[in-house]
Amino acid sequence: MTEQSPDAFVAHAAEATLAQPTFHYTIRNERGKTSPFPGVQLQGVEGSVKQPDRFQAVASAKALFLNVEIQVVGIEGRLWMSNPIQGAKHLRERSVDARYLPLTRPDNVVHLLLKLLDTPRIDRTENDQKCGALTVVAGSFNLTRLKEVAPDLVAGPILTNKALPVEIWIDSDAIIRRFKIHGPMVSYDEANVVRVVEFSRYGEPVSIPTPE
């Protein structure tokens, strides 16, 4: 257990985590469905971040009877996406409203969510085979404060009408390893959604070339 206050502990962990040159992440629903379009169910997202300005991700979805993948590459504020019909390797640059750009970078989303953290408390410790001893911080992501924290951001499908319970796993090096968020964050989440975001491979080599 840490001797720091919960607020100071999380602030230190956020700084240490986002200072890492690279990391890998996965996003999945432990419970409930996310359906951005009728007949399309998001299965998960997996990708990597390379500071200061690059990320790549593959989103997996089930569309009716087909499994599809969409690859996304972001470099210096530019964004490329694949067409699921053509395959993940066929990337095409897309224009993105500058007000949405913060939501396209996974590290920015982590930073934004931590700014929205309310009433954190040290809940418990756990032992993980890969990460060792983990301190679990419980609190809530107060999405009602989104406009206050990020006034220039267009919320789009983000639900800003309530706070969502959250748990954050932090290792002995003050690095964030996992979020678990209880409840819908976007309008196309089911009401019972529990979303898990996991981080790993900190500092490992990552190559994200500019698409041709």
Side-chain angles (χ1 to χ4, degrees), residues 23 104 204:
F23 62 85
T104 67
E204 292 188 7

Side-chain angles (χ1 to χ4, degrees), residues 194-211:
V194 175
R195 182 171 282 110
V196 178
V197 185
E198 297 191 271
F199 306 95
S200 62
R201 306 180 201 171
Y202 285 102
E204 292 188 7
V206 172
S207 177
I208 306 177
T210 303

Side-chain angles (χ1 to χ4, degrees), residues 19-176:
Q20 299 300 307
T22 63
F23 62 85
H24 184 81
Y25 64 94
T26 62
I27 306 171
R28 61 181 175 84
N29 286 359
E30 184 176 89
R31 188 177 67 202
K33 297 178 181 179
T34 297
S35 301
F37 306 102
V40 177
Q41 182 181 334
L42 185 64
Q43 303 291 299
V45 179
E46 182 170 0
S48 300
V49 169
K50 183 176 183 179
Q51 301 288 11
D53 55 19
R54 297 183 179 229
F55 77 92
Q56 60 186 5
V58 176
S60 302
K62 187 172 184 180
L64 299 177
F65 303 106
L66 298 175
N67 292 319
V68 298
E69 289 187 345
I70 299 175
Q71 184 175 350
V72 181
V73 174
I75 299 175
E76 297 179 343
R78 299 168 65 189
L79 199 69
W80 290 261
M81 294 179 64
S82 66
N83 185 319
I85 297 175
Q86 294 177 314
K89 293 184 179 180
H90 293 79
L91 291 164
R92 180 179 176 183
E93 188 168 4
R94 310 280 180 167
S95 61
V96 180
D97 189 319
R99 296 172 298 173
Y100 288 98
L101 277 176
L103 294 178
T104 67
R105 285 184 52 115
D107 49 333
N108 283 346
V109 174
V110 170
H111 187 238
L112 176 62
L113 287 174
L114 291 172
K115 281 186 173 182
L116 295 171
L117 182 65
D118 277 355
T119 59
R121 69 182 188 281
I122 307 300
D123 189 66
R124 63 189 186 277
T125 58
E126 295 182 0
N127 286 313
D128 183 272
Q129 287 185 338
K130 293 182 179 180
C131 303
L134 298 173
T135 300
V136 184
V137 176
S140 62
F141 284 148
N142 189 353
L143 296 176
T144 67
R145 294 198 295 110
L146 183 61
K147 192 68 175 177
E148 165 197 336
V149 169
D152 296 328
L153 178 69
V154 175
I158 300 173
L159 299 175
T160 59
N161 59 338
K162 61 181 177 181
L164 301 179
V166 64
E167 295 171 291
I168 305 170
W169 281 256
I170 301 171
D171 70 16
S172 58
D173 294 320
I175 301 296
I176 296 171

Side-chain angles (χ1 to χ4, degrees), residues 174-193:
I175 301 296
I176 296 171
R177 293 290 180 171
R178 185 183 307 127
F179 288 153
K180 182 180 286 189
I181 307 164
H182 300 257
M185 293 185 66
V186 291
S187 58
Y188 40 82
D189 278 337
E190 286 188 336
N192 67 339
V193 157

